[in-house]
């Protein structure tokens, strides 16, 4: 029916019925008329009963057909659900296997990173870094290293040094003088110069060096660290400050922490070691 037909029925206050309902309504009206007129016969009653029986039979058949169809659909849905559950179980097992495999791979990657870092750190065993020396135009870095040695009471000759130069730019926000990296021919010479600096503690600055301009900036000598270990040292220093550790130092490229005097020494090799603290 169109919307116009519906509007028309509403205006006429009429009721629309389908053909099946109209037929049933006619039968009921005829029966009611017969009862009212006193013309109802046994034949009419039997006919009505037969109609009711046929209707019930048709209804039962329709119900059985619908029930069978519903049962088939439920079986299909149950099979689909069972199949989905099996797939979910398979996927869950696969996820667990992948997580285990990923954990093993991550562990291997961490081990390889440590091995590579150890090799890089080993290659720096004869190197040290000097921090705090002001930069000058056309400076002779070798002479600066010799001057540092003399100020610390050690004669550093050219034969002791393999190479020395200023470090590259650390980052765009850094404005201080770049450090100097020195690679000694022998590790013993590097250790001797580091020991001289440790003995001076805080009493060593640019005023002890033969510089053209007066200055008094602390000068530090440190072991040269690989990029990975350098980042780890920065994080360890932050942890020392935040967690109240009293001591942090380097020894042969190893980062060492101590909570307080007399407590156990903690070696930091990876980020996991810091996380444990």
């Amino acid at each position: 029916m169109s919307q116009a037909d519906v509007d028309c029925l509403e205006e006429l206050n009429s009721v629309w019925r389908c053909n099946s309902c109209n037929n049933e309504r006619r039968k009921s009206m005829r029966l009611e008329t017969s009862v009212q007129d006193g013309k109802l016969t046994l034949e009419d009653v039997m006919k009505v009963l037969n109609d009711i029986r046929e209707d019930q039979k048709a209804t039962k058949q329709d119900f059985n057909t619908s029930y069978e169809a519903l049962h088939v659909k439920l079986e299909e849905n149950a099979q689909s659900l069972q199949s989905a559950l099996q797939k979910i179980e398979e996927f869950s097992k696969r996820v667990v296997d992948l997580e285990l495999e990923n954990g093993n791979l991550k562990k291997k990657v961490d081990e390889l990173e440590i091995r590579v870092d150890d090799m890089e750190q080993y290659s720096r065993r004869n190197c040290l870094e000097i921090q705090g020396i002001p930069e000058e135009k056309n400076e002779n870095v070798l002479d600066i290293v010799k001057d540092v040695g003399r100020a610390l009471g050690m004669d550093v000759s050219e034969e002791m040094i393999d190479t020395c130069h200023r470090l590259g730019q650390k980052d765009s926000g850094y404005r201080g003088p770049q450090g100097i990296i020195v690679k000694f021919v022998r590790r013993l010479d590097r250790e001797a110069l580091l020991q001289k600096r440790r003995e001076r503690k805080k009493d060593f600055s640019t005023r002890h060096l033969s510089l053209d301009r007066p200055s008094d900036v602390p000068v530090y000598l440190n072991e040269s660290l690989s990029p990975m270990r350098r980042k780890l040292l920065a994080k360890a220093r932050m942890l020392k400050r935040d967690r109240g550790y009293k001591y942090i130092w380097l020894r042969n490229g190893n980062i060492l922490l101590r909570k307080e005097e007399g407590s156990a020494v903690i070696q930091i090799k990876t980020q996991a070691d810091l996380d444990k603290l």
Side-chain angles (χ1 to χ4, degrees), residues 19-204:
N19 292 331
S20 299
C21 291
N22 276 332
N23 292 334
E24 292 297 323
R25 183 171 176 77
R26 290 192 189 99
K27 292 179 183 178
S28 177
M29 291 177 67
R30 284 197 299 269
L31 183 61
E32 290 176 1
T33 302
S34 299
V35 172
Q36 292 174 358
D37 295 343
K39 299 178 180 179
L40 183 64
T41 64
L42 181 59
E43 183 181 357
D44 293 332
V45 174
M46 292 302 297
K47 188 176 184 306
V48 170
L49 291 175
N50 287 332
D51 290 342
I52 293 173
R53 188 179 294 111
E54 291 296 326
D55 290 342
Q56 287 180 339
K57 184 178 180 181
T59 301
K60 183 178 180 181
Q61 185 176 359
D62 291 342
F63 175 79
N64 290 336
T65 302
S66 300
Y67 179 80
E68 289 295 331
L70 178 61
H71 181 72
V72 171
K73 286 293 184 183
L74 287 175
E75 287 290 335
E76 292 176 353
N77 289 338
Q79 291 177 1
S80 298
L81 180 60
Q82 184 65 28
S83 177
L85 290 175
Q86 289 178 353
K87 289 183 178 180
I88 290 174
E89 186 176 356
E90 292 174 1
F91 291 151
S92 298
K93 185 178 182 302
R94 181 59 176 162
V95 168
V96 172
D97 293 341
L98 288 174
E99 287 179 345
L100 180 61
E101 182 180 358
N102 183 64
N104 291 333
L105 289 174
K106 187 177 184 300
K107 183 178 179 181
K108 289 181 180 180
V109 169
D110 292 341
E111 290 174 354
L112 289 174
E113 286 182 347
I114 293 174
R115 289 178 60 184
V116 170
D117 182 66
D118 286 342
M119 287 188 290
E120 183 171 356
Q121 187 60 44
Y122 184 76
S123 70
R124 296 169 178 260
R125 66 191 183 282
N126 291 2
C127 299
L128 63 78
E129 295 178 11
I130 304 174
Q131 303 287 347
I133 305 294
E135 296 182 57
E136 297 183 357
K137 190 175 182 180
N138 299 324
E139 65 184 3
N140 189 315
V141 178
L142 179 58
D143 289 341
I144 294 176
V145 175
K146 292 179 179 180
D147 194 14
V148 170
R150 280 193 298 270
L152 291 173
M154 176 177 171
D155 184 19
V156 178
S157 64
E158 293 187 23
E159 291 74 17
M160 293 181 180
I161 298 175
D162 183 15
T163 183
C164 60
H165 57 81
R166 289 278 181 180
L167 293 168
Q169 191 73 15
K170 292 182 179 178
D171 55 65
S172 57
Y174 182 72
R175 295 292 180 269
Q178 296 303 311
I180 297 173
I181 185 167
V182 185
K183 183 176 183 180
F184 285 84
V185 175
R186 298 194 319 156
R187 185 179 179 183
L188 290 176
D189 293 331
R190 187 205 74 158
E191 290 295 328
L193 188 59
L194 281 173
Q195 183 59 35
K196 292 286 187 181
R197 176 62 184 90
R198 293 188 187 108
E199 292 171 359
R200 295 290 292 269
K201 297 183 179 180
K202 295 183 179 181
D203 185 26
F204 187 64

